[in-house]
Amino acid sequence: MKCIVFIIVFLNTFSNTFAWGFNHDCTDISILDTKFTSDNKVSVTVHGPQRVSNPGHVPCCLQQGPMIIGNYIFYKGNPEYLIATIWEGRKWVNGYSEDNSVDPNDCNYESQTVCDEVYEGAIDYTRVDNFEPFLFPDPGERVTLVMDVYAHCEFDSSYKGRTFCHQGCAINHTTNYNYP
């Protein structure tokens, strides 16, 4: 019995610690470009939405650009033929973190956040990561990048660190694998 109580308490704590939610909305979110370089790097440029100011509402500000990227994977042709996983899970990107994303608790009338003063990442965010070229097909063949992209995120510090993104979805981008 004690074991069952412990498991229930543990699972409840675990689920609240990593509270997460998002709307399946890809409005103004896309992958603009993918480049492979001779030093085994892949450069991906991700486009995200512009800043939204919402005075008097919660959240009062929605920051611009991609904020979180997850499940960054390459396939040959379609998701049936996995090539490489750059990373699994979600990561804050574009300079964002829990510490500089809008907290809806700061959007009340007493301590209104000034949207012009919050951190703003780039609308077109480029990241460069290592990859293993031997895992990829011959140069010139088509590869598909699949990446979860989240934007307009808020981090609610009072709700055990709940992150909610008003936009987010899996994006597919097919390109030629042009390794120099």
Side-chain angles (χ1 to χ4, degrees), residues 48-115:
Q50 294 185 7
R51 180 184 81 168
V52 175
S53 185
N54 242 358
H57 296 87
V58 175
C60 52
C61 306
L62 294 173
Q63 295 157 293
Q64 72 183 16
M67 297 179 76
I68 297 173
I69 291 177
N71 301 320
Y72 178 2
I73 301 169
F74 281 96
Y75 295 95
K76 181 176 179 192
N78 61 50
E80 211 171 297
Y81 303 103
L82 175 69
I83 295 173
T85 300
I86 306 300
W87 81 62
E88 290 181 308
R90 295 179 298 268
K91 291 183 183 183
W92 288 94
V93 296
N94 201 6
Y96 290 106
S97 69
E98 294 93 345
D99 298 329
N100 67 359
S101 59
V102 171
D103 187 331
N105 299 303
D106 295 336
C107 291
N108 60 39
Y109 291 106
E110 296 161 10
S111 63
Q112 185 70 26
T113 298
V114 178
C115 295

Side-chain angles (χ1 to χ4, degrees), residues 31-34 143-146 171-175:
I31 296 175
L32 299 178
D33 192 29
T34 304
V143 295
T144 301
L145 166 62
V146 178
I171 301 286
N172 295 328
H173 177 76
T174 302
T175 188

Side-chain angles (χ1 to χ4, degrees), residues 9-72:
V9 170
F10 175 77
L11 289 175
N12 185 42
T13 302
F14 182 77
S15 66
N16 287 334
T17 302
F18 298 103
W20 168 257
F22 67 96
N23 288 335
H24 294 273
D25 176 4
C26 278
T27 305
D28 207 20
I29 296 176
S30 60
I31 296 175
L32 299 178
D33 192 29
T34 304
K35 294 179 184 171
F36 299 91
T37 64
S38 60
D39 57 350
N40 301 342
K41 305 267 188 214
V42 58
S43 168
V44 176
T45 302
V46 182
H47 175 80
Q50 294 185 7
R51 180 184 81 168
V52 175
S53 185
N54 242 358
H57 296 87
V58 175
C60 52
C61 306
L62 294 173
Q63 295 157 293
Q64 72 183 16
M67 297 179 76
I68 297 173
I69 291 177
N71 301 320
Y72 178 2

